[in-house]
Every structure is written in C-alpha cells, then in structure tokens.
C-alpha cells in the first residue's frame, strides 16, 4: 500500500510540473473545451472550489479521489442551461465495492444548437439548411481509500466531437488525491485534469474535387484533401483546501469553506472560493466566486440551494445553482437530481 501511495504521488507531481506553463499568449490554442465545463449544482454554486471536499458522483468530475469518501451507490442527473443557448446534459453513477474500491461511469453531452449552414456559393445560408455540432465525453472512474486519511482516484475519458461529417476523437485522464488530517475540520486535495495526447479533426468534408486553375475546363477534376492541424487538450492542475470551523458533524448547523488555485496550460491562473451551509443535513445554501488576472475573464459570483429528502434507505437531493457570465446573453443555470442508495 505504501508503494502504491508513493507511486501515485510521484505521478501527480510529475504531471503537475508539466502543466505549470500557462500564459495569456496561449489563450485559444487548446481544444476540447467541453472537458472544462463544470457539472452539477453543488460545485458550480461554490465557484468551482470543489477539489478538497468533492464527494459522491460530482467527484467523478471535480476530483475522482473524492468518490472514495462515501460508500453505497449514487446516481446523478444534471442539466445546464449554458450561455449562448447551448445546453449540457450530464449523467453519472458510482458504487463502492467492498475490498476493491469505488467505480463510476459518467456521460457529458454538449449541444451547440442549430447553426445556419453556409457554403462558398451560398454565404448567406439562403438554402435554409442547419447543422447541430455535438460534443460528448464518456468517463470511467476508479477511486480507492489508500489509508484512513489519503484517497486516490483517476478518471479516463473518451472524447468525441462531431460537426456534420467531420469528427475528432481523443482520450484524457484525471488524477487526484485527497488528504484529511482529522485536525480542526481541514481537508486538502490536488487534481491534474485533462492530461492526454493532441486531437485532430478528420472526415469526408476535408476532401473536395476541383479543376485546378488554368486547366482546360473539360479536364477531369482532381481529388484534393486538406489536413487539419492538431490541437492540445485544456490541461490544468488544481490545489484545494476546505475547512469546517465547527467540525461537529452531528450538530444541526454546519458550514464549510473551500478554496482552489488552478494553473492552466493555456491561460492565466484562476482562483476560486466557496462556502456551503447546511441545516439538519436537509437544507443547503451555497455561494462562491471565480476570478482570474486574465483579461476579459467571463465568470464571477455564483450561488445555489438544495434540499435533501429521505425515503427509507434512499436519499434524494434536488439542487439548483446560478453562475454569472459576462459577454453573453443569459447566465449559467444548473438543475441537478441525485439519488443515493
């Protein structure tokens, strides 16, 4: 067990060092941005500061190590009314297998919406044709409690992007740790996100039959094919801490504060903070803020609320969150349902 812990820590440290290279000059150079879109009402309401205190199915995205914190089985369904009329659907389930660890599967689908189709000969879209790009991510997670204080988790993603007959496929990985010192309600976490090889678009739409300029108009058309440039994934490393000043889990009133520092490989650093207040483990209020030194950073304050109900051994959680976004019409709104068995 000690050897596994040391090897896992070494892996996270090496990957973190490779990703601490972001700058303002690299903005817009990474693709597969659907990997970055937050999921779930709890984490988004807390400004994305959910690395040290991620738990349940939401941990599959925020920090896979957090999935090992709770036993049993949990399912989650979340809908995001994203900016610019885009929509994100997310579904996940995780379960604990005694003596093995926690496994989870997740699916994220981003719908861009209908886009008017234009061509070289019809640049105004007079034909009235539309296309709908879709981006999907399928995840498989494994998490395990390495010691009574340290947990490790990893998620592997299969990425599929489709724009008509043009597609791009790729894989990405998250690696995370949580550490709970059992001292004054403190928790710590680190996660490396979206580490993987470059992706490239390909498909029939890259081919075209043309008659070369200057050729005889009656000559046979030649098949030409373009090649797409490859692009990097939006990798990052996040360091988080959480603190429960009451440290009294049996009391009716409970509060937890959390913070995250995120270093990106494609943009400036980000800073996040959040809090969650709960009453009788039934009613929840949350708030947070996300900021960056990056010019034209689009996110800011967020808040949310939730209620948890019990039917026998089954728990049902209904959550909502709102997140401020600049430069676009409409802010982000999350609606989430979770069921624990």
């Amino acid at each position: 067990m000690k050897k596994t812990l040391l090897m896992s820590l070494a892996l996270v440290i090496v990957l973190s060092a490779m990703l601490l290279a972001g700058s303002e000059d690299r903005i817009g150079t990474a693709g597969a941005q659907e990997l970055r879109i937050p999921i779930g009402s709890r984490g988004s309401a807390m400004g994305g500061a959910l690395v040290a205190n991620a738990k349940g199915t939401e941990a599959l995205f925020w920090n896979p190590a957090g999935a090992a914190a709770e036993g049993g089985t949990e399912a989650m369904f979340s809908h995001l009314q994203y900016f610019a009329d885009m929509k994100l659907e997310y579904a996940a389930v995780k379960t604990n297998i005694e003596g093995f660890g926690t496994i989870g599967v997740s699916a994220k689908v981003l719908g861009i919406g209908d886009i008017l189709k234009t061509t070289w000969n019809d640049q105004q879209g007079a034909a009235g044709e539309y296309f709908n790009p879709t981006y999907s991510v399928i995840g498989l997670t494994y998490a395990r409690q390495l010691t009574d204080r340290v947990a490790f988790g990893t998620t592997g993603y299969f990425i599929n992007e489709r724009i008509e007959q043009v597609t791009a496929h790729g894989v990405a990985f998250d690696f995370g740790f949580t550490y709970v010192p059992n001292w004054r309600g403190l928790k710590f976490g680190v996660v490396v996100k979206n580490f993987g090889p470059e992706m490239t678009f390909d498909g029939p739409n890259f081919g075209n039959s043309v008659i070369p300029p200057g050729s005889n108009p009656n000559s046979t058309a030649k098949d030409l094919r373009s090649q797409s440039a490859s692009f990097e994934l939006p990798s990052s490393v996040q360091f988080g801490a959480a603190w429960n000043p009451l440290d009294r889990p049996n009391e009716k009133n409970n509060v937890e504060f959390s913070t995250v520092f995120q270093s990106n490989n494609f943009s400036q650093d980000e800073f996040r903070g959040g809090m969650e207040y709960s009453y009788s483990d039934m009613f929840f209020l949350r708030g947070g803020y996300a900021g960056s030194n990056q010019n034209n950073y689009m996110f800011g304050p967020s808040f949310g609320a939730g209620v948890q109900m019990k039917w026998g051994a089954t728990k049902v959680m209904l959550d909502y969150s709102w997140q401020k976004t600049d430069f676009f019409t409409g802010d982000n709104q999350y609606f989430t349902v979770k069921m624990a068995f």
Side-chain angles (χ1 to χ4, degrees):
M1 184 66 69
K2 182 179 292 187
K3 182 178 180 181
T4 302
L5 175 59
L6 292 175
M7 291 178 62
S8 301
L9 281 170
L11 175 63
V12 170
I13 292 172
V14 170
L15 295 178
S16 300
M18 296 173 63
L19 300 178
L20 294 173
S23 70
E24 191 96 4
D25 298 334
R26 302 196 68 195
I27 294 177
T29 62
Q33 292 292 326
E34 67 274 13
L35 289 169
R36 295 193 64 216
I37 300 176
I39 60 89
S41 300
R42 179 173 180 251
S44 58
M46 297 172 67
L50 208 64
V51 171
N53 52 344
K55 60 182 179 180
T57 43
E58 284 188 296
L60 304 185
F61 170 81
W62 296 101
N63 183 353
E70 297 179 341
T73 300
E74 184 178 279
M76 169 182 170
F77 308 90
S78 183
H79 168 78
L80 165 61
Q81 190 67 38
Y82 208 35
F83 61 81
D85 291 328
M86 293 183 286
K87 296 178 176 62
L88 182 78
E89 312 298 338
Y90 182 83
V93 61
K94 71 93 184 177
T95 188
N96 179 266
I97 302 175
E98 187 174 354
F100 177 74
T102 299
I103 59 173
V105 293
S106 59
K108 176 194 286 187
V109 179
L110 174 66
I112 304 298
D114 293 332
I115 299 177
L116 184 64
K117 184 177 181 179
T118 60
T119 66
W120 181 262
N121 296 318
D122 182 14
Q123 300 186 26
Q124 302 302 318
E129 297 182 17
Y130 290 83
F131 64 100
N132 189 339
T134 56
Y135 304 93
S136 57
V137 181
I138 306 298
L140 178 62
T141 298
Y142 173 75
R144 185 177 178 87
Q145 201 73 39
L146 298 181
T147 72
D148 61 335
R149 300 184 180 188
V150 179
F152 170 76
T154 181
T155 297
Y157 295 109
F158 172 72
I159 310 162
N160 180 67
E161 300 186 349
R162 175 178 293 275
I163 306 174
E164 286 204 304
Q165 298 185 58
V166 175
T167 61
H169 305 292
V171 293
F173 298 92
D174 292 352
F175 304 92
F177 272 97
T178 57
Y179 173 62
V180 182
N182 294 326
W183 184 75
R184 298 182 180 271
L186 285 171
K187 300 176 184 177
F188 301 96
V190 58
V191 60
V192 174
K193 294 187 65 64
N194 308 325
F195 182 82
E198 295 182 347
M199 294 174 58
T200 305
F201 277 100
D202 197 5
N205 283 6
F206 278 95
N208 195 17
S209 295
V210 298
I211 297 176
S215 301
N216 188 323
N218 296 321
S219 61
T220 303
K222 294 185 177 181
D223 292 330
L224 302 179
R225 185 170 183 80
S226 302
Q227 185 174 1
S228 171
S230 59
F231 55 88
E232 295 182 55
L233 301 183
S235 304
S236 65
V237 56
Q238 302 178 25
F239 303 92
W243 176 49
N244 181 344
L246 301 179
D247 196 20
R248 297 178 298 177
N250 295 323
E251 296 292 331
K252 284 189 175 181
N253 295 286
N254 204 22
V255 64
E256 188 170 56
F257 300 92
S258 58
T259 183
V260 166
F261 167 76
Q262 175 174 328
S263 180
N264 303 306
N265 75 334
F266 56 91
S267 65
Q268 293 283 23
D269 299 334
E270 297 177 55
F271 310 89
R272 302 192 180 106
M275 65 83 64
E276 178 182 54
Y277 166 78
S278 64
Y279 177 77
S280 293
D281 199 31
M282 182 181 297
F283 302 103
F284 300 83
L285 292 176
R286 307 178 181 103
Y289 186 85
S292 173
N293 293 327
Q294 178 178 310
N295 292 327
N296 299 321
Y297 186 72
M298 64 181 296
F299 298 113
S302 57
F303 71 85
V307 58
Q308 180 171 266
M309 300 165 286
K310 296 182 181 180
W311 283 279
T314 302
K315 296 181 181 180
V316 178
M317 172 74 81
L318 304 176
D319 284 322
Y320 168 81
S321 68
W322 169 92
Q323 182 183 43
K324 175 66 176 176
T325 59
D326 291 329
F327 317 118
F328 292 95
T329 302
D331 299 316
N332 293 343
Q333 297 187 72
Y334 291 79
F335 303 87
T336 304
V337 178
K338 291 188 288 186
M339 293 176 288
F341 311 93

